[in-house]
């Protein structure tokens, strides 16, 4: 059974980027449908935790940009960073004024706006989306994009998880905001982030950027899923024999990963003052939930830690942005949040929260506005449309298991070396060639597509990683340990059966290819 719907703008994904896209598109006066794999407002990385915001006072912006330029290793764009800083100011004010988000206040009565409680934030986003008349399709993951005979993106095919019914949504423009790909590493809130939107974009002809910068690893207590790296600024780290393990002050954790391959590493947040301990519990209560359940006081006791991969969620890579309204290289298709590359503001190194959270809100709004303008000019599709892409991988559970075995280990994906990357990529290519096409129904249908998306991401990541023969940002090559000035360019990647990576020929200046 197939249900057919028609709208002006289809937003795929219901996190911060997707909800902001839906809000802006609806405010532009067009019809909007939002389709989410989970329940909009409760699923995804932001809805499960707190997040910082890149909210910077004007007097401090130059220093903030300079810091990001240093971390980004020459691949950021100052114009885009300024746009995001300006837009974040407006969006957070709007969040307080329209969504009535309850920002805390300091002792002088000033609002503290550089941090958001994810559950409260996303609850208010959903309410506003509903009040604007957007039709929300919860638990309805998109499987394939629709295109017309000219290749213009014209909607998507989705599946309703509860009933197994196919939902065909024709639209004049589509915004992809499905998040990044965390390879089901079990980091909190990220199991829905399997890279589905990126796969759909490439199937429609889009290209990617920054896929080599997709190997972010975050600290978590062993046996838990909460990765909040900021709190480890107050930590002392220890080796198994109890001696202090001196961790480099940089964000590079490759030394820690190397030690963990040989022996356990423990941590204690014993450098936090009493006041800081109270504030930390208020700021991120879910960080402490696991400790409380385990009967551990993380401020006085030592606990074993591990590193958890978060792929393109805390990484940088994603769909290449071609203009200021977050349009892609494909007509009618827009990308936002972690689905889109963050190189424009983060360069070769991103991370959790802060600029990523701001990028989600800003790019979502720009994409929604751009998609609405395109839809008003184009009108709803009136001719024939067809789905692009293949069914999901046969034996999807086995595919996911093997992809995780080739992506999660530090020694392959983090401590990168050609001798380890090349055989891993060869096996991923073999998995791709043997994936078949599983004509499943219902839940198995979209799980098979998830497996295909994760497999595709792993191949794109390793292909780009082998192409960049240097160490830059979070991409650390242990056979090419130095930064190479000749490679100060962005790398674009594309393809499905046959992959390619090459330097980006066009830089974005003031949002236009130049």
């Amino acid at each position: 059974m197939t249900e057919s719907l028609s709208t002006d703008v289809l937003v795929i994904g219901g996190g911060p980027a997707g909800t902001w896209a839906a809000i802006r598109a609806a405010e532009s006066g067009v019809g909007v449908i939002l389709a989410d794999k989970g329940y909009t407002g409760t699923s995804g990385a932001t809805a499960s935790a707190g997040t910082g915001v890149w909210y910077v006072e004007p007097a401090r912006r130059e220093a903030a940009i300079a810091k990001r330029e240093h971390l980004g290793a020459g691949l950021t764009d100052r114009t885009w960073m300024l746009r995001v800083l300006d837009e974040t100011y407006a969006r957070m004010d709007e969040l307080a004024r329209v969504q009535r988000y309850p920002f805390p206040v300091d002792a002088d009565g000033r609002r503290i706006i550089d941090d958001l409680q994810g559950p409260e934030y996303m609850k208010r986003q959903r309410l506003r989306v509903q009040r604007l008349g957007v039709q929300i399709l919860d638990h309805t993951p998109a499987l394939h994009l629709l295109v017309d005979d000219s290749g213009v993106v014209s909607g998507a095919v989705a599946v309703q998880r509860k009933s197994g019914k196919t939902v065909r949504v024709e639209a004049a423009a589509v915004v992809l905001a499905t998040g990044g790909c965390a390879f089901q590493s079990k980091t909190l809130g990220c199991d829905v982030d399997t890279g589905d939107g990126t796969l759909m974009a490439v199937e429609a002809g889009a290209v990617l950027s920054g896929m080599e910068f997709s190997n972010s690893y975050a600290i978590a207590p062993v046996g838990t899923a909460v990765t909040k790296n900021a709190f480890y600024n107050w930590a002392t780290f220890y080796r198994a024999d109890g001696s202090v393990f001196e961790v480099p002050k940089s964000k590079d954790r490759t030394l820690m990963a190397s030690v963990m391959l040989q022996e356990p590493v423990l941590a204690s947040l014993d450098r936090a003052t009493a006041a800081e301990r109270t504030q930390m519990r208020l700021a991120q209560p879910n960080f402490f939930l696991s400790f409380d359940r385990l009967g551990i006081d993380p401020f006085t006791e030592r606990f074993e830690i591990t590193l958890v991969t978060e792929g393109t969620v805390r990484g940088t890579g994603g769909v290449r942005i071609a203009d200021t309204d977050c349009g892609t290289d494909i007509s009618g298709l827009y990308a936002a949040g972690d689905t889109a590359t963050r190189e424009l503001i983060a360069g070769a190194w991103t991370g959790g929260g802060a600029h990523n959270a701001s990028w989600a809100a800003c790019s979502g709004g720009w994409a929604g506005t751009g998609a609405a303008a395109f839809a008003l000019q184009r009108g709803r599709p009136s001719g024939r449309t067809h789905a692009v892409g293949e069914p999901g991988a046969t034996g999807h559970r086995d595919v996911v298991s093997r992809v995780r075995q080739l992506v999660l280990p530090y020694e392959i994906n983090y401590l990168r070396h050609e001798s380890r990357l090349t055989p891993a990529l060869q096996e991923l290519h073999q998995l791709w060639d043997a994936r078949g096409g599983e004509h499943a129904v219902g839940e198995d249908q979209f799980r098979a597509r998830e497996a295909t998306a994760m497999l595709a991401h792993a191949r794109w990541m390793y292909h780009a990683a082998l192409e960049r023969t240097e160490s830059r940002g979070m991409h650390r090559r242990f056979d090419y340990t130095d930064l190479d000035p000749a490679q100060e360019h962005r790398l674009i990647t594309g393809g499905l059966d046959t992959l390619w990576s090459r330097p980006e020929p066009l830089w974005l200046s003031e949002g236009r290819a130049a």
Side-chain angles (χ1 to χ4, degrees):
M1 180 184 297
T2 300
E3 179 182 2
S4 296
L5 301 173
S6 177
T7 191
D8 297 304
V9 173
L10 170 63
V11 177
I12 303 176
T19 50
W20 277 114
I23 287 167
R24 286 290 171 265
E27 288 180 335
S28 299
V30 300
V32 183
I33 291 177
L34 187 154
D36 193 1
K37 179 189 293 187
Y39 183 86
T40 298
T42 65
S43 69
T46 297
S48 62
T51 182
V53 183
W54 205 30
Y55 187 90
V56 182
E57 297 290 343
R60 296 169 43 232
R61 288 185 185 177
E62 186 58 35
I65 288 174
K67 181 179 179 180
R68 287 300 333 156
E69 287 176 331
H70 175 72
L71 287 171
L75 303 184
T76 57
D77 187 303
R78 177 172 284 254
T79 299
W80 278 82
M81 286 191 282
L82 285 168
R83 287 187 75 207
V84 168
L85 286 168
D86 286 343
E87 187 77 3
T88 298
Y89 239 50
R91 292 292 71 74
M92 293 305 103
D93 174 73
E94 182 178 343
L95 192 61
R97 178 172 42 83
V98 180
Q99 281 98 312
R100 303 292 184 185
Y101 182 86
F103 285 105
V105 296
D106 62 16
D108 298 321
R110 293 174 299 191
R111 289 185 306 187
I112 302 172
I113 306 181
D114 60 354
D115 192 77
L116 293 170
Q117 291 293 336
E120 186 67 26
Y121 173 30
M122 293 313 303
K123 178 179 74 174
R124 291 168 186 266
Q125 286 290 96
R126 180 185 176 96
L127 286 172
R128 187 172 178 192
V129 168
Q130 288 176 315
R131 287 168 181 166
L132 286 168
V134 174
Q135 182 179 356
I136 299 177
L137 306 179
D138 290 314
H139 305 296
T140 307
L143 304 175
H144 302 278
L145 290 177
L146 296 171
V147 300
D148 66 12
D149 289 339
S150 299
V152 180
V153 172
S154 303
V157 176
V159 61
Q160 193 178 84
R161 294 177 63 179
K162 184 176 181 180
S163 66
K165 178 174 60 178
T166 298
V167 181
R168 183 184 180 93
V169 183
E170 291 197 342
V174 173
V175 177
L176 290 173
T178 59
C181 181
F183 298 98
Q184 295 185 354
S185 62
K186 305 308 174 186
T187 181
L188 186 65
C190 291
D191 259 16
V192 295
D193 294 322
T194 52
D196 312 343
T198 308
L199 174 62
M200 288 187 280
V202 175
E203 288 174 333
V207 299
L208 312 175
S209 183
M211 292 305 294
E212 69 273 34
F213 307 121
S214 299
N215 61 327
S216 176
Y217 280 76
I219 300 173
V222 168
T224 75
V226 181
T227 53
K228 289 297 170 188
N229 289 337
F231 286 171
Y232 292 97
N233 291 327
W234 287 268
T236 304
F237 298 95
Y238 301 89
R239 293 179 179 268
D241 63 4
S243 62
V244 173
F245 172 41
E246 295 294 342
V247 177
K249 292 186 180 299
S250 72
K251 295 178 180 290
D252 181 11
R253 296 191 181 89
T254 53
L255 175 60
M256 183 182 287
S258 299
V259 172
M260 286 178 175
L261 292 173
Q262 307 298 323
E263 61 178 291
V265 173
L266 297 92
S268 176
L269 307 181
D270 49 17
R271 293 167 51 206
T273 65
E276 288 170 338
R277 295 175 186 185
T278 299
Q279 185 58 40
M280 289 160 75
R281 281 190 172 273
L282 290 172
Q284 298 284 358
N286 62 351
F287 177 86
F288 298 95
L289 185 59
S290 297
F291 292 114
D292 294 342
R293 288 176 173 173
L294 294 169
I296 296 172
D297 181 352
F299 297 112
T300 60
E301 299 179 61
R302 299 175 188 178
F303 52 92
E304 187 178 350
I305 58 173
T306 187
L307 294 175
V308 181
T309 186
E310 293 177 312
T312 62
V313 174
R314 280 189 195 245
T316 295
V319 179
R320 180 179 181 270
I321 296 301
D323 52 43
T324 55
D325 60 6
C326 292
T328 70
D329 293 292
I330 305 302
S331 185
L333 184 63
Y334 298 76
D338 292 348
T339 304
T341 182
R342 273 82 71 218
E343 282 180 300
L344 296 166
I345 65 165
W349 197 305
T350 174
H355 44 283
N356 270 15
S358 291
W359 172 252
C362 298
S363 63
W366 294 328
T369 300
F374 183 90
L376 288 170
Q377 181 180 31
R378 179 192 182 193
R380 297 188 183 185
S382 57
R384 187 174 63 120
T385 62
H386 61 277
V388 291
E390 301 175 357
T394 301
H396 59 85
R397 292 178 180 84
D398 292 336
V399 170
V400 169
S401 176
R402 190 55 189 148
V403 168
R404 284 163 46 83
Q405 291 169 12
L406 293 168
V407 170
L408 303 190
Y410 316 143
E411 59 268 34
I412 302 175
N413 192 17
Y414 201 29
L415 311 177
R416 290 176 164 179
H417 192 286
E418 184 178 6
S419 65
R420 295 183 287 272
L421 287 172
T422 296
L425 180 57
Q426 289 173 343
E427 183 168 348
L428 290 165
H429 285 332
Q430 292 168 2
L431 283 171
W432 181 267
D433 293 339
R435 72 192 184 283
E438 184 168 331
H439 293 277
V441 295
E443 191 83 359
D444 282 339
Q445 188 177 13
F446 96 87
R447 294 298 185 190
R449 284 288 289 175
E450 286 184 331
T452 304
M454 284 189 276
L455 175 55
H457 270 77
R459 294 169 68 237
W460 292 322
M461 283 167 43
Y462 285 175
H463 192 279
L466 284 165
E467 185 70 19
R468 187 175 285 281
T469 52
E470 63 163 351
S471 289
R472 184 182 296 269
M474 68 171 61
H475 169 67
R476 313 301 297 176
R477 286 285 296 264
F478 283 74
D479 46 349
Y480 295 94
T481 56
D482 295 330
L483 184 147
D484 178 6
Q487 297 188 52
E488 190 173 298
H489 52 246
R490 301 183 191 133
L491 245 151
I492 56 174
T493 299
L496 292 164
D497 294 335
T498 301
L499 305 189
W500 54 266
S501 294
R502 61 173 180 263
E504 183 180 35
L506 304 176
W507 281 82
L508 293 180
S509 176
E510 297 181 358
R512 297 185 298 273

